[in-house]
Amino acid sequence: PTAHATALTWLPPTTTPQPLAGYRVYRLSSSSETFSLLATVTDPAFTDSTVLAGESYSYAVTAVDILGNESRFSSPVSATIPTP
């Protein structure tokens, strides 16, 4: 099988009440109705290497500060993985 991946990047917030600790990346797959936590990262970038050919995915990101406060979801972005 052909391996697929989706690379995500985003701009960090310009101002925050507290310093940022990182980001949480959420994914909504075509077989689900809610966003599920996919990863916690410290850089504003993530590569999802668990995607499947022929499936569509939506992603949203939140920022988390050093106190553990989480922002609202970003606007979602979508990707459809091609079928080989």
Side-chain angles (χ1 to χ4, degrees):
T2 304
H4 295 283
T6 300
L8 306 168
T9 60
W10 55 92
L11 295 173
T14 53
T15 60
T16 59
Q18 297 290 328
L20 284 183
Y23 305 93
R24 292 183 181 148
V25 181
Y26 293 86
R27 182 175 76 186
L28 177 75
S29 69
S30 56
S31 60
S32 173
E33 295 182 11
T34 59
F35 280 97
S36 298
L37 181 62
L38 185 61
T40 300
V41 297
T42 55
D43 293 321
F46 175 75
T47 298
D48 182 2
S49 58
T50 65
V51 295
L52 301 174
E55 293 289 321
S56 294
Y57 300 91
S58 292
Y59 297 89
V61 175
T62 61
V64 181
D65 69 19
I66 60 171
L67 300 177
N69 298 310
E70 188 172 9
S71 71
R72 290 194 227 166
F73 282 101
S74 66
S75 297
V77 296
S78 297
T80 299
I81 310 307
T83 304

